[in-house]
Amino acid sequence: MSAINVGQAVVLGAIEGVTEFLPVSSTGHLKIAEGLMGIPVDDDAVVGFSAVIQVGAIAAVLVYFFKDIVRIMTAWFRGLADREERYHHDYKFAWWVIVATIPIVVVGLAAKPLIQGPLASLWVVAGSLIVGSGVMWAADQMGRHKRGEDDTSFKDAMLVGSSQILALLFPGFSRSGATMSTALMLDLDRVAATRLSFFLGIPALTGAGIYELKDALGTGAGAAPLVVGTLVSFVVAYASIAWLLKFVAKHSFNAFVIYRIVVGLLLFGLLGTGVLNS
C-alpha cells in the first residue's frame, strides 16, 4: 500500500507548488501538512515523495524562464567552442550555476543520515522558520538593493549557492529564503535576488528529485500519487513564480517574515500540546 494516497498527493503537490519558491520553506510546510494528515514525516517513502514532486516545481521554472534558459545555454555551448564567446556574461553565468551547486551536492550526500533522521524533526522546522525570519528581515534591511542581475559575479553565485545548505540541514529555514537573503546581503536588488534563487534551484532540486525517485518508488510511494503530486506542483508553482516576481518588484520581504514567525510559533504550540508529533 502506498504511504501517500492520491488525495493526499494533490494537497501536498499544491503546498509544494505554492511554497517552493516563496521564502517560507516548502519542506517545513510539507512536513506540517504530513503531520496533520497523519503521514509519518521520517518515512523513507514520504521523504522521497517530497523530493520527487519538487521536480514539478522545477519544471515550472524551466517553462517560465524558457527564453532565458535557452539564451544562457546557447551562450554556454558557444563558449565551449569559441574562446571569444567565453567573455559573454551568460556563458560565465552558466558555469557559475553549475559550480555553485557542488557544495549542496557534497553536503547532501555526506549528511543524508542526519537530514533524513534527527534534522527532520518538526521542532527543527519550527525553530528554523523563526530564525530564518530574523535572517531574512536583517538582509532586507541591510541590503542596498543597488545591483541588478547583470552585475552578478562568481563570488555572488558561490555564496548564494552555498547558502542552500542551510535549508538542507535545517528544514524550515527555506532554500529560497536562504538564497534570497544572501543575495540581498550582497546588495542585489530584490528581483535579481529572486531570479538568481530560481536559477540556482534548477540543478539542486532536479538532482534531488532524480536521486530520490528510485527510493521513493521502492519504499511505498506509489507511481500514481507521485505523478499527480508532481503535476499539481507544476501548475501551482508556475502561478506562484509569476506572482512572486511581480510582488518583489514593489514590496519588501516583511510579509513573508511575519508569516514565517506566525507559522513557527503555531507549530511550536501544536508540538507542545501534542496535537502534532515531532
Side-chain angles (χ1 to χ4, degrees), residues 41 70 99 116 133 167 255:
V41 299
V70 169
V99 176
Q116 295 187 351
S133 299

Side-chain angles (χ1 to χ4, degrees), residues 54-165:
Q54 288 178 337
V55 176
I58 289 300
V61 172
L62 295 177
V63 173
Y64 192 90
F65 293 108
F66 181 74
K67 291 183 179 179
D68 293 308
I69 293 170
V70 169
R71 187 192 74 245
I72 292 169
M73 293 308 298
T74 299
W76 186 67
F77 280 114
R78 286 178 177 172
L80 293 177
D82 186 346
R83 183 182 297 271
E84 293 298 322
E85 293 289 335
R86 296 174 191 173
Y87 295 100
H88 197 289
H89 184 269
D90 286 340
Y91 170 79
K92 292 185 285 187
F93 185 78
W95 273 117
W96 297 344
V97 170
I98 294 170
V99 176
T101 303
I102 294 175
I104 191 174
V105 173
V106 173
V107 174
L109 293 174
K112 186 177 180 180
L114 284 174
I115 295 168
Q116 295 187 351
L119 294 178
S121 168
L122 288 177
W123 288 105
V124 175
V125 172
S128 298
L129 278 166
I130 294 174
V131 172
S133 299
V135 173
M136 186 182 302
W137 179 84
D140 205 13
Q141 298 300 311
M142 292 166 53
R144 290 178 285 178
H145 314 292
K146 66 177 185 178
R147 301 169 57 208
E149 187 174 344
D150 290 338
D151 299 318
T152 55
S153 65
F154 175 66
K155 176 184 176 182
D156 296 329
M158 285 302 299
L159 289 174
V160 174
S162 298
S163 72
Q164 297 177 108
I165 295 172

